[in-house]
Amino acid sequence: MRKIFIAFILTFLIFSSALAETSEDNNIIRVGVFDCLTGSNAYGGKLEVDGIKLANKLNPEILGKKIELIIIDNKSDKLESVKAVDKLINEYKVCAILGSYGSAYAMAGGEVAERAKIPVVGSSCTNPLVTLGKEYYFRACFVDTFQGEGAAGYAYKNLNLRRAAILTDFTNDYSVGLGRYFANSFKKLGGEVVISLMYHPEDGNFREPLKKIISENPDVLFLPSYFEDGIMVLKQARELGAKFKIIGGDAMDTPEIMKHLKDDPVGFIYTIFAYDPSMEKMNPEAEKFTREWKNFYPDKEPSSISALGYDSYLIFMAAVNMAQSFEPQKIRDALEEIYNLPTVTGITTINKNHDAEKPLGIIEIKNGQKRFLGTIEPE
């Protein structure tokens, strides 16, 4: 009889505990984040996650439920991205996922989400392949075809540059793709690509390819590199006496860049998502983001990558509100209907390819000063 009573008590306690957990979970909705918190691209992943955390801080609830962020480090690695997304889906049972910085990691994790039919909103993963043929992957940013065209158009039309060199990281999908889109657009406009070289990120020393580029006397070097490589190329190019313009892409946008380019008299231009704290005119969401960022991160400068992390969260929120549901399929269907949504980096519309149609920003750093030069609107 005693054994039966003890068994009954244990059963009751287990049932009560499970009931309490269920009750607690009913008041919480979990959203996954997989991003580069360590590894070679940690500087960008951390910027994104900071933006997502700020958005969650300001918008902690939806449809009467608290939003709990489950953040997993993908370690700047494709295989770890696969593991992270799998864990978010199967262990944490998230209804949607945000991330990741780095198109290669987004593509790797995206395959897992696609099979599980869990919607993902990427932040700054710009390679067109991230969403190509995908039913469940969306993004808060423009794609590299538009970015490459914009950079080429600015070089040719605004700066009157006619002879271009290109230096890309052949191990990186983002770098190779963006370099190709720039080259195609520049040549269509009437420009000439006088030399195109590739490097391996582990080389560290870029002097040999730079010497070859300098010997071709280009007007501009297009450098679609991630920040760590890009800064080294910039420094070594100027040390070798290069006087041509250098243009980079969005992966160069980090507050750290000003520490490295204090004395460059020639200037460095790069394309970004249409937000920067140096902008003279901001939309209401950008003003709010900038103000709240200073309150939440008083010792950090905001960046366009952080703004996109913030925007990806806003897009998720808008989809849930439209769907009036936390069911992944209904969120996914609502994401396809996002139209003219006010976000930090411009009015966001999700097109048929699941990409955001929004403006491209142009930044110049020269003689230690940073200027937001303007935007290029999508056609």
Side-chain angles (χ1 to χ4, degrees), residues 253-255 258 270 272-282 286-287 289-291 293-294 300-307 344 363 370-372:
D253 188 40
T254 166
M258 292 300 295
Y270 61 100
I272 65 165
F273 312 102
Y275 169 82
D276 189 81
S278 69
M279 295 172 70
E280 292 184 3
K281 294 182 179 179
M282 292 187 182
E287 288 179 351
F289 171 79
T290 306
R291 181 176 63 252
W293 180 278
K294 291 178 181 178
K300 298 180 182 180
E301 279 292 313
S303 72
S304 68
I305 295 174
S306 296
V344 178
I363 289 281
K370 184 179 184 184
R371 290 193 303 149
F372 187 86

Side-chain angles (χ1 to χ4, degrees), residues 78-93:
K78 294 180 183 179
L79 180 58
E80 291 295 332
S81 296
V82 170
K83 293 178 180 178
V85 173
D86 181 73
K87 188 172 185 178
L88 288 170
I89 294 170
N90 293 307
E91 183 175 331
Y92 290 100
K93 311 297 181 185

Side-chain angles (χ1 to χ4, degrees), residues 77-205:
D77 182 84
K78 294 180 183 179
L79 180 58
E80 291 295 332
S81 296
V82 170
K83 293 178 180 178
V85 173
D86 181 73
K87 188 172 185 178
L88 288 170
I89 294 170
N90 293 307
E91 183 175 331
Y92 290 100
K93 311 297 181 185
V94 298
C95 68
I97 298 172
L98 309 179
S100 164
Y101 183 85
S103 294
Y105 317 127
M107 284 187 269
E111 294 295 337
V112 181
E114 192 76 8
R115 289 193 294 271
K117 298 184 177 181
I118 298 296
V120 185
V121 182
S123 298
S124 63
C125 41
T126 54
N127 191 298
L129 295 177
V130 170
T131 57
L132 183 65
K134 297 293 189 298
E135 291 294 319
Y136 291 84
Y137 221 114
F138 300 77
R139 66 177 122 208
C141 60
F142 50 63
V143 293
D144 284 333
T145 46
F146 175 54
Q147 182 172 202
E149 289 170 3
Y154 193 83
Y156 190 89
K157 298 174 184 178
N158 295 70
L159 302 178
N160 295 313
L161 306 175
R162 296 293 182 264
R163 292 168 53 82
I166 301 173
L167 182 61
T168 57
D169 171 2
F170 76 83
T171 70
N172 189 283
D173 296 327
Y174 161 83
S175 183
V176 173
L178 185 53
R180 182 170 65 250
Y181 300 132
F182 175 92
N184 292 342
S185 297
F186 194 74
K187 287 186 284 189
K188 282 182 181 179
L189 290 169
E192 179 186 4
V193 177
V194 296
I195 186 170
S196 182
L197 298 177
M198 292 187 171
Y199 68 86
H200 193 289
E202 293 181 0
D203 291 346
N205 190 328

Side-chain angles (χ1 to χ4, degrees), residues 26-48:
N26 282 339
N27 295 319
I28 294 175
I29 185 70
R30 286 176 170 173
V31 175
V33 179
F34 78 114
D35 226 316
C36 310
L37 301 181
T38 58
S40 59
N41 288 311
Y43 68 91
K46 290 177 180 178
L47 291 174
E48 270 193 3

Side-chain angles (χ1 to χ4, degrees), residues 18 39 65 197 211 275 280 291 293 310 312 328 352 354 360:
K65 294 184 184 292
L197 298 177
K211 287 177 182 178
Y275 169 82
E280 292 184 3
R291 181 176 63 252
W293 180 278
Y310 185 99
S312 66
K352 64 180 181 180
H354 294 182
L360 176 77

